[in-house]
Amino acid sequence: MKINILTLFPEMFSGFKSESIIGKALEKNLLEINIVNIRDFCYDKHKQADDMPFGGGAGMVIKPEPLFRALETVKGKVIYTTPQGVKFNQKLAIELAQEEEITIIAGHYEGIDERVVESKVDLEVSIGDFVLTGGELPAMMMADCIARLVPGVIKKESYENDSFFNGLLDYPHYTRPAEYEGMKVPEVLLSGHHKNIETWRLKESLKRTYLRRRDLLVGRELSKEEKKLLAEIKRELGK
Ligand SMILES: CN(C)c1cccc(CNc2ccc(C(N)=O)cn2)c1
């Protein structure tokens, strides 16, 4: 899979591409992340990539010419990160991870010229209801979320337990030492009894989801075991 990111600030992506899981995946050629500097496509003397908005108002808008030129050099579905977009979520990430190539335009300042959106953007996507100085962090977040779903980037078992993969929030995690400052790891996790551990984790996931994100349970099919565990949870919570 290839992810192109069009940005005015390519340097913001150097750490993202060199560190940790994404860094290793790129080294192993499991995927490609191609950072395209929009400014490289400004042919005027001052390399002006943005300009004042017609009709007045604060902020700057990214000019159409450099974007159209940059878009000629990439392929795939074109996504534009903007507060006006559809909400990004794991379901959309899973869909986008199926694509051979995608291109993300990181808007900056007040955004990009609407003629680019009208004629080239396939999907406007927002990572949440808040405004950032630029679309680079949203582009990085989306690329990270999509990249980790590419086969080989992380162990398959890891993402199959993803909170949003099975529709529930994650259970609590512990590692050594088994006791720290008097705080103990739940006994069951040290028992080596895999069935009990699996049940404990499912119950903890259900409890957390029930307490923190009950909306995720609405419309979610519960297995017989999940129904039993949820009844236990409600009894224990006295609710
Ligand atoms: C109209 N306007 C302010 C604007 C328009 C387009 C891009 C930008 C760049 N900033 C962004 C981008 C995305 C998000 C998000 N929530 O995904 C938040 N901020 C700002």
Side-chain angles (χ1 to χ4, degrees):
M1 167 168 211
K2 181 176 182 182
I3 302 175
N4 305 297
I5 301 176
L6 274 54
T7 173
L8 284 172
F9 302 95
E11 275 317 298
M12 284 182 73
F13 295 87
S14 46
F16 172 63
K17 285 189 66 175
S18 63
E19 299 309 294
S20 184
I21 291 167
I22 302 290
K24 288 193 186 72
L26 291 171
E27 265 168 37
K28 291 190 273 186
N29 292 319
L30 292 170
L31 79 155
E32 200 184 334
I33 295 180
N34 169 33
I35 306 300
V36 177
N37 185 348
I38 298 167
R39 207 171 293 282
D40 291 348
F41 297 89
C42 301
Y43 300 156
D44 61 296
K45 192 153 65 74
H46 301 290
K47 288 196 168 297
Q48 191 176 357
D50 60 298
D51 205 339
M52 292 183 292
F54 277 120
M60 301 290 271
V61 177
I62 300 185
K63 292 169 65 65
E65 303 99 315
L67 280 171
F68 276 104
R69 292 175 191 139
L71 285 166
E72 291 303 307
T73 68
V74 291
K75 294 203 300 277
K77 195 170 280 194
V78 177
I79 291 137
Y80 171 41
T81 60
T82 164
Q84 284 72 40
V86 294
K87 273 293 172 49
F88 184 68
N89 58 26
Q90 195 70 16
K91 182 173 173 294
L92 179 52
I94 292 166
E95 284 165 21
L96 292 172
Q98 313 307 317
E99 301 283 334
E100 230 343 89
E101 178 165 352
I102 62 171
T103 292
I104 304 174
I105 304 176
H108 213 84
Y109 315 117
E110 295 309 303
I112 66 176
D113 186 284
E114 191 62 14
R115 286 165 288 188
V116 179
V117 182
E118 296 278 297
S119 61
K120 294 287 180 184
V121 170
D122 298 303
L123 191 62
E124 295 183 68
V125 180
S126 167
I127 59 165
D129 293 336
F130 42 82
V131 183
L132 304 167
T133 56
E136 279 75 17
L137 292 176
M140 213 179 287
M141 275 178 61
M142 287 173 52
D144 184 286
C145 184
I146 293 162
R148 80 185 270 285
L149 296 171
V150 170
V153 174
I154 60 169
K155 286 188 306 300
K156 196 165 169 9
E157 307 71 58
S158 306
Y159 74 70
E160 278 182 349
N161 271 329
D162 259 355
S163 306
F164 290 86
F165 196 89
N166 67 2
L168 299 175
L169 297 186
D170 217 3
Y171 48 78
H173 295 269
Y174 300 86
T175 186
R176 286 178 293 201
E179 178 167 344
Y180 179 71
E181 305 271 310
M183 296 178 283
K184 291 189 168 137
V185 169
E187 272 307 309
V188 63
L189 298 179
L190 310 176
S191 71
H193 202 299
H194 298 292
K195 184 75 191 98
N196 291 359
I197 292 168
E198 205 178 309
T199 305
W200 180 87
R201 285 175 165 171
L202 177 57
K203 186 172 179 179
E204 286 300 314
S205 284
L206 276 166
K207 188 189 305 178
R208 272 188 170 181
T209 311
Y210 179 72
L211 289 172
R212 300 181 191 183
R213 290 293 307 276
R214 205 163 299 182
D215 59 295
L216 292 177
L217 289 179
V218 173
R220 183 184 184 284
E221 280 293 298
L222 292 178
S223 67
K224 215 159 52 59
E225 185 187 19
E226 288 167 343
K227 283 194 185 104
K228 185 174 73 62
L229 291 171
L230 190 54
E232 269 176 40
I233 290 161
K234 287 177 181 174
R235 263 199 314 281
E236 286 156 14
L237 292 172
K239 288 193 180 172

